[in-house]
Structure formats: C-alpha cells, structure tokens
Amino acid sequence: MAEQENSWNKLWSLIRSPTLREMVKRLRVLWALGHASALMGWDLETYMPKKGIRDRSVASEEISALMHSIATAPWLRELLSKAEKELNAYNEYEKGLYRVVSRMVRIETSLPEELVRREARITSKATKVWEEAKKQEDFARFKPYLEEIVEIQREKAERLGYEEHPYDALLDLYEEGLRSRDVDQVFDKLVPETKRVLAAIERRGYYPRWHPLEGVGYEEAKARETVRRILDYLDYPWDRARVDVSAHPFTIDMGVNDVRITVRYEGVDFKRFVYSTMHEYGHALYELQQDPRLSYTPLIGGVSLGVHESQSRFWENIVGRSPWYMLVLKKIVDDTLGVTRGLSAEELYRYVNTVRPSPIRVDADEVTYNLHIYLRYKLEKQLIEGSLRVDELPEAWDSLMEQLLGIRPRSPSEGVLQDIHWAHGSIGYFPTYTLGNTVAAMIWRSLGGPDSQQLRGPDVEALKKWLGERIHRWGRVHPPKELLCRSLGGEYSADALVEYLEWKYLRLPSQLPDVFKA
Ligand code: MG
C-alpha cells in the first residue's frame, strides 16, 4: 500500500485536477487488465502448451469484455464531461490525459458489442483459413472471409465517423489523427524518388543484389550468444527486460520495468536474427524510457504504431546498418558465430545492405520496403471506398507489384496472400510501417544527418538520451503529429527519408574506404 501511495504522489506532481485524479484512480483497474492481457499474450506466443489455447481464448474474451464495460461506463462519461469544462486550465499532462481517455471512450462507444464480437469470430477463423490457403496457394478459399472482413471494416469506418475518406477512420485507430491526405502526401514524393534512387543504385552496383553470406548456416546456441552480446552493447537492462524465442519476433511490455522482446532463429543467414533483434530493441527502448510517473495511467505506452515503428527502424537501419556499427558487429560475430572472421568490415557492410526488389515485404531492404507499403495502402483504400472488389484483388496486386518493382508474383503466397494483417482484420495498419521509416529518417536529420557525431560512434548512450528526452519520456501526452512538430520540427514528411536514402546509397559509397580504414 505504501508503494501505491508513493506512485500516486509522484503522479500528482503532474495531475493536479481533482476530477482527473479521481479518473486516474478509477481507471487503474483498466491498466491492470491491460497488464494481465499483455502477459497472457506474451505467454501464448512463447511458452504456453499447445492445448492451452481454448481456455486462453475464453479468458481473453472475458477480460476484453470487462475492459470494454469499464471504458463505456456512465461514471467515466460523467467525469469526462466535468473535465471538459475545466480543460482551459489544464497543463499539458492533464490535457493529454483528457484527450487519451476521451478518444478511447469515443472509439469504444462507437462500436456496438455485436460488431466487435462478429469481428473477433470471423478474424479468428480467417487466420486459420489464411494459413491453409497460403500453403495451398488458393486465394478462393480465403476470399469469402476477406469479403466479410472488408464489410466489417467498412461498417466500422461508418460508425467511427470521418471527414474526408472512410479509410481515414481506420487509419486513426492505429495512428491518432492520421488521414489519407497525410499518407498521400508522403507517397507522392516517396514513390517516384525511391524508383529514381533504386535505378541509380542498380546502375552503380556498389550495393550487391545478393551476398554469399546469405547461404551460410549457424548454430542456435552461438546465435543466442550473439544476441546477448548485441544487447549488452546496447546496454539492455536485463533486470527490467528479457529475450525469448517465438515464431514471429515481437515486443511487449507490462510497464516500464518489465519489457520483453522475442527473436526467431532460422539456422541460416544470420543477419535476419541480428536485425530483428535491433528492431525489437528499438521498440523495447521506447517503453523502457518513458517517464515512470506516468505508470498505471492511460498516458503510459507508445503514442502510436508509426512513432513506435520509427524507434525500431532507427536502431535496425539507421544505427544498425551504418558503416560505423559494422566494426562493433564484426567483433561480436567474429567472437560468437565466427563466420565473418575472414571478411573485412566493408564486406560485412555490403552483406547487411543488399538491395534487391523482392515480391516479399518482410524480405525487403530499406530502399524498396516502402513500395510494398504503398501497394497495400492503395489497394486497402480502394477496398474500403468500394472501388475494388475482393475477387479483383489478386490481379490488382500483381499488376501494381509489376509497375512498382518490376516483379510479377509467381503465386498467391508470393503475392496477395503473403501477409497475415488482413486475416486479423487490420486494415489501415500498413501505412504505419512507412511512417516509421519516414520518422526514423527525420530523427537522423535532426541528429545532424551525415555529420551526426552520435551516429558516427555510434554513441549509444547519447542516442538513448536524445530519444528519451525528445520522444520516449512523453508516453501518450502529446498526439503523434504534435509530438513530431515539437521534437523533430514537422509532421510526417518523406523529405528526410529521400535525403537519407540518397546520401547512404548514392553518396556514401565513395567515402567508405576512409571509414573502414579508420
Ligand atoms: Mg515493428
């Protein structure tokens, strides 16, 4: 109980309004249920025995229903309308709290329980059907499920409401305040510029299309040691964080003192687990560096998927795939896996920075990745506005892929069936991946771009401090666009990303002999 009092006292230095203090106290149970759900989700993906799945689904559904009933309770609406009258007198934390809670209440009350349950039922079936359809290369099997999912998403968009385009209502679920207009403005520049840079890279030939290390195998025990050494180098706080193994790498947090990442070892092509570790580390660091005073409140947690992804992409690509990091990585891999001992740091750099158009999004390099997202964005928007039917989707996918990347998928698993997102009902989610890349490049530019001393180290401590101050510590206090304006000098824009790609892929190669000589 003393611990509880102590945490309130720290929070009360930020939250002074008695109305909001009462709200925070009464909403702590929601935080606790979120905590329990996160831990259950982690366990489901890591250690749960296979047959635990049925009971776990029942428990999860009950907890979700309980959370929904708290978020739609009359007492909460009463407190919110009282807070609304006090809004002008609030400080930034109080305004943030009011914004986050009213947004949650608005979303939860717009969607009737029947619709939420229908979505849960169809997506849990669709996920299994999608797996089989992908294995059997049979889009027709998945089609009726996707049709119903699209219908449900369209109904959700209508109920949530929007000003310009129904797709905006879905975007907002993943990235508060994001509209198609913002996404169009990013892609209008990014798509043609990416094609131009890609053509120049291919003409010059410094970055290889393929590297022989991609075919080299490794032992899992040694790979685990590699991961431990990388995370030690990044000063991963082992008393507040863990690493485990799962089929698909992810990060989950149970508050600022319990953050967990996972990794997958495939036995070949070690850069895959090295970079997924760097990626998840970036997500974990965001959670670990939040202001602990926000704990147990609706203000704790990353502000949006796009901002979260910017953190993972920053560590994965901008730090992790830089020439300066190669000296660090080579030492670690030389000592653990040993497969790089005969190679130069420059050769390692070329291995981790291959550039080749591929039909598969998750295999894409940092140059071509956003073209994959643009394809999904364009098709999703058409599905939601009703200008494209689900049965037209495979053909639309293949021809757009050919236009963007010059590749025609050889089968549905290489094309329209490759991602799990639609089976989960996640439409409007993909654009946040590109926002992550654009925001990561905005961070690069704010740090000084090519001249950044922190990146040339890399100076891990300085980078962590910089990100902590500008982004992490704020939790959800400021909405994403405002956070970006305050911390990085502008909203989502492709400018910094284009500048970064041009610098790294077209200008940097001529300076690399000096970098690697040092
Ligand atoms: Mg991620």
Side-chain angles (χ1 to χ4, degrees):
M1 265 347 210
E3 184 61 30
Q4 243 183 50
E5 275 314 306
N6 198 14
S7 79
W8 288 137
N9 288 337
K10 284 180 191 156
L11 180 66
W12 297 159
S13 65
L14 308 175
I15 305 290
R16 297 161 318 179
S17 149
T19 313
L20 294 182
R21 286 183 179 184
E22 189 188 340
M23 192 189 292
V24 166
K25 279 189 161 179
R26 295 184 72 173
L27 282 178
R28 180 140 84 168
V29 61
L30 207 52
W31 172 85
L33 292 167
H35 179 99
S37 303
L39 186 57
M40 283 160 64
W42 170 82
D43 175 68
L44 175 83
E45 303 288 340
T46 51
Y47 299 108
M48 191 184 78
K50 212 169 155 190
K51 290 202 166 165
I53 186 83
R54 279 189 70 147
D55 292 357
R56 182 61 51 85
S57 316
V58 174
S60 297
E61 206 181 315
E62 289 298 329
I63 290 178
S64 302
L66 186 54
M67 289 173 86
H68 174 77
S69 73
I70 295 167
T72 53
W75 64 260
L76 185 55
R77 257 171 291 168
E78 276 161 34
L79 282 176
L80 275 176
S81 58
K82 206 168 153 198
E84 195 186 349
K85 295 185 191 95
E86 304 167 356
L87 202 53
N88 284 333
Y90 283 174
N91 66 31
E92 57 186 343
Y93 290 92
E94 293 171 320
K95 283 187 175 134
L97 185 62
Y98 173 79
R99 186 193 93 253
V100 169
V101 176
S102 37
R103 177 171 184 268
M104 170 189 80
V105 169
R106 178 181 62 81
I107 292 171
E108 294 281 335
T109 47
S110 312
L111 304 175
E113 207 185 314
E114 175 275 323
L115 182 64
V116 175
R117 284 185 188 272
R118 187 147 53 95
E119 186 182 26
R121 267 199 311 272
I122 186 79
T123 53
S124 93
K125 274 190 224 147
T127 306
K128 286 194 201 99
V129 174
W130 166 79
E131 258 171 42
E132 290 158 21
K134 188 177 172 185
K135 238 181 257 160
Q136 294 160 2
E137 302 288 2
D138 183 6
F139 180 74
R141 277 204 69 187
F142 184 54
K143 196 189 85 152
Y145 292 87
L146 186 56
E147 277 168 345
E148 193 173 341
I149 286 168
V150 169
E151 256 334 291
I152 290 172
Q153 300 310 312
R154 292 178 59 165
E155 189 180 337
K156 271 171 78 174
E158 290 308 319
R159 290 190 181 267
L160 289 162
Y162 53 87
E163 282 169 18
E164 293 167 14
H165 195 286
Y167 188 68
D168 296 357
L170 303 177
L171 285 175
D172 176 80
L173 290 176
Y174 304 102
E175 192 78 9
E176 183 183 351
L178 184 71
R179 296 178 188 196
S180 311
R181 193 159 24 120
D182 304 307
V183 183
D184 284 333
Q185 181 250 107
V186 167
F187 280 126
D188 283 350
K189 172 155 188 169
L190 192 53
V191 172
E193 291 289 288
T194 298
K195 286 175 149 185
R196 181 179 61 78
V197 172
L198 179 62
I201 294 169
E202 300 207 310
R203 269 199 312 277
R204 295 178 188 200
Y206 176 85
Y207 291 92
R209 276 198 152 224
W210 185 83
H211 194 283
L213 272 179
E214 289 178 58
V216 174
Y218 59 80
E219 276 172 45
E220 186 172 323
K222 290 180 178 172
R224 284 175 189 253
E225 183 60 10
T226 313
V227 165
R228 194 192 58 77
R229 287 273 305 268
I230 289 172
L231 291 172
D232 274 345
Y233 172 78
L234 298 170
D235 203 16
Y236 195 59
W238 296 102
D239 54 349
R240 298 199 288 140
R242 292 181 56 91
V243 186
D244 295 273
V245 174
S246 70
H248 302 284
F250 66 92
T251 301
I252 206 153
D253 74 283
M254 271 67 66
V256 296
N257 289 309
D258 185 354
V259 179
R260 306 177 185 199
I261 68 174
T262 66
V263 60
R264 172 174 61 173
Y265 300 107
E266 292 155 298
V268 69
D269 197 4
F270 70 88
K271 73 173 179 323
R272 296 172 75 95
F273 78 78
V274 164
Y275 287 97
S276 80
T277 301
M278 296 290 287
H279 181 99
E280 300 309 330
Y281 166 82
H283 282 306
L285 190 65
Y286 190 174
E287 299 296 336
L288 287 162
Q289 294 209 115
Q290 291 180 78
D291 185 339
R293 290 176 297 179
L294 306 177
S295 291
Y296 324 123
T297 78
L299 289 176
I300 197 81
V303 71
S304 69
L305 289 186
V307 177
H308 232 301
E309 192 69 4
S310 73
Q311 301 308 299
S312 56
R313 289 305 209 167
F314 178 76
W315 288 96
E316 177 189 355
N317 288 334
I318 292 178
V319 178
R321 287 190 159 91
S322 74
W324 302 285
Y325 185 69
M326 282 314 109
L327 304 169
V328 176
L329 184 63
K330 180 166 156 48
K331 172 91 181 75
I332 293 174
V333 179
D334 282 355
D335 290 352
T336 53
L337 302 174
V339 293
T340 45
R341 270 180 217 145
L343 294 178
S344 66
E346 185 170 1
E347 210 41 60
L348 181 61
Y349 177 76
R350 284 157 57 87
Y351 160 61
V352 305
N353 283 296
T354 51
V355 179
R356 63 164 172 266
S358 143
I360 308 291
R361 176 184 59 88
V362 295
D363 291 339
D365 53 81
E366 60 177 336
V367 181
T368 57
Y369 190 90
N370 300 299
L371 299 176
H372 292 266
I373 301 307
Y374 176 65
L375 176 144
R376 288 153 178 79
Y377 164 67
K378 216 174 154 183
L379 300 177
E380 284 188 343
K381 213 172 128 191
Q382 290 173 352
L383 287 171
I384 294 302
E385 72 191 16
S387 62
L388 180 73
R389 292 194 318 266
V390 170
D391 62 314
E392 298 168 320
L393 192 58
E395 175 50 35
W397 181 293
D398 292 353
S399 28
L400 194 50
M401 173 67 64
E402 198 164 8
Q403 267 178 48
L404 290 167
L405 284 156
I407 299 170
R408 216 173 158 87
R410 287 167 302 186
S411 61
S413 67
E414 260 193 20
V416 69
L417 285 179
Q418 66 181 272
D419 303 303
I420 198 170
H421 299 60
W422 292 342
H424 281 166
S426 303
I427 294 184
Y429 185 117
F430 282 118
T432 66
Y433 290 130
T434 285
L435 294 186
N437 293 328
T438 62
V439 173
M442 288 162 71
I443 293 170
W444 168 80
R445 189 162 68 179
S446 298
L447 280 163
D451 304 318
S452 163
Q453 287 311 309
Q454 295 101 311
L455 284 168
R456 278 168 183 250
D459 186 340
V460 172
E461 208 186 311
L463 291 171
K464 283 167 81 165
K465 196 160 170 255
W466 195 96
L467 294 168
E469 276 299 310
R470 299 231 186 175
I471 296 166
H472 301 165
R473 75 180 176 106
W474 292 105
R476 295 177 181 150
V477 172
H478 304 296
K481 285 178 182 173
E482 193 186 320
L483 180 70
L484 298 183
C485 287
R486 294 168 63 114
S487 303
L488 304 174
E491 292 184 6
Y492 313 105
S493 151
D495 294 353
L497 181 53
V498 171
E499 204 182 308
Y500 166 76
L501 293 174
E502 277 208 290
W503 164 73
K504 175 169 172 180
Y505 288 90
L506 304 181
R507 296 214 306 280
L508 186 60
S510 64
Q511 301 158 27
L512 284 173
D514 290 334
V515 174
F516 288 117
K517 206 165 57 201

